[in-house]
Structure formats: C-alpha cells, structure tokens
Amino acid sequence: MKYSLILAFLFVSFFISAQNNNNNLLQVTRYKLHPTELNIQNDVETEKINLKIYYLKDGDITADYRYFKPKKNEILFFFGNDIKTNTTQMYFKADDSLMHIYKKKDFNKLMKVVEILEYNVFSQEANFSSIDAYTALAQL
C-alpha cells in the first residue's frame, strides 16, 4: 500500500510539473493586418494579410519551420531560443501571392513586418533582434 501511494504521488507530481512547464510549448499568435499596415497595398488585391507567429521560448524551432506551410495571403514567422546551442533562430515563409513582394528586398516593405514583430509582438522579449529578423526576412 505504501509503495502504491508513493508511486501515485510521484506520478501526480510529474504530471503537475509537466503542466507548469510552459517554456517548451509552441505559442502561436495570429495578426490580421491590412495591406497598408505592411506598405504593400499597391502590390496585392486583398483586404487582409495574416501574420502568424510561431514562438518557442526554449527549444529548436527548425522542425516546426519545416512542417508548417503558409496559406493564401499569409506570412509565417518562426522564432525559437535554442538552449542547447545558446542561439536564437528566426525563419520566415510567405505564400506565393506575397513572395514576389518580399523577394524584391524593398527595405521599407521588409521593415514594416519587422516593426510589427519588434513593437507589437516581442517588445518584452530580450532575445528578439530586429536585425536578425530583417536578415531572415530578406532571405525569403
């Protein structure tokens, strides 16, 4: 009886600690933006652009980057802090309807996306670098 109580206690404590560890959970946030907010109103024929952010506070985001595909009029941003290598990872993907806009590497259009991430999404995140985000977006 003692052993079963000890095992039950260990199982419950493990379950509770796993539930309280939110650092390695993938957080997904979506923003619906008007093309004027991204300075691309002359380049697209749509009313809304979806900016979807995948954030992994403690872990490698590369597998998620490879798995998720953008939908029509959607920009995906992947941001992870890999504790093992002590690095941050940033990747972008864009739908074909938006890809041609960002392939031109227009500084003002690239910076609009980075500014939204820097000031609206990751303003409190110390590891977020607007320079790294710009570089990742320019590599689309």
Side-chain angles (χ1 to χ4, degrees):
M1 184 71 171
K2 280 189 210 177
Y3 297 114
S4 62
L5 287 175
I6 292 171
L7 287 174
F9 175 76
L10 289 175
F11 178 73
V12 169
S13 64
F14 174 75
F15 183 74
I16 290 172
S17 69
Q19 294 245 335
N20 289 334
N21 187 5
N22 292 330
N23 290 340
N24 62 351
L25 296 178
L26 182 64
Q27 300 172 18
V28 182
T29 308
R30 182 180 2 182
Y31 287 89
K32 291 191 179 284
L33 303 168
H34 193 273
T36 55
E37 294 175 274
L38 296 171
N39 196 24
I40 61 172
Q41 65 275 10
N42 298 329
D43 301 313
V44 292
E45 297 289 329
T46 186
E47 292 184 21
K48 295 289 180 189
I49 305 292
N50 288 320
L51 174 61
K52 195 180 281 185
I53 296 111
Y54 295 89
Y55 177 50
L56 193 57
K57 189 169 185 171
D58 294 334
D60 187 350
I61 195 79
T62 307
D64 297 303
Y65 166 71
R66 291 183 180 134
Y67 179 77
F68 292 104
K69 305 287 184 223
K71 296 177 183 171
K72 185 171 179 156
N73 297 321
E74 190 171 62
I75 301 169
L76 305 181
F77 175 65
F78 301 86
F79 178 41
N81 293 309
D82 192 352
I83 302 297
K84 292 177 186 173
T85 61
N86 198 25
T87 59
T88 59
Q89 302 160 323
M90 294 185 193
Y91 306 103
F92 279 93
K93 284 186 178 180
D95 173 53
D96 291 338
S97 63
L98 300 172
M99 186 69 84
H100 72 279
I101 298 167
Y102 295 108
K103 284 281 190 183
K104 294 177 185 174
K105 301 191 185 343
D106 182 324
F107 177 79
N108 293 325
K109 292 177 183 176
L110 295 173
M111 280 308 295
K112 286 293 187 180
V113 176
V114 173
E115 287 172 358
I116 290 169
L117 293 171
E118 182 177 16
Y119 298 117
N120 297 349
V121 182
F122 296 108
S123 61
Q124 303 298 317
E125 179 62 43
N127 289 337
F128 183 80
S129 165
S130 58
I131 295 168
D132 291 343
Y134 179 86
T135 303
L137 184 56
Q139 293 175 355
L140 255 180

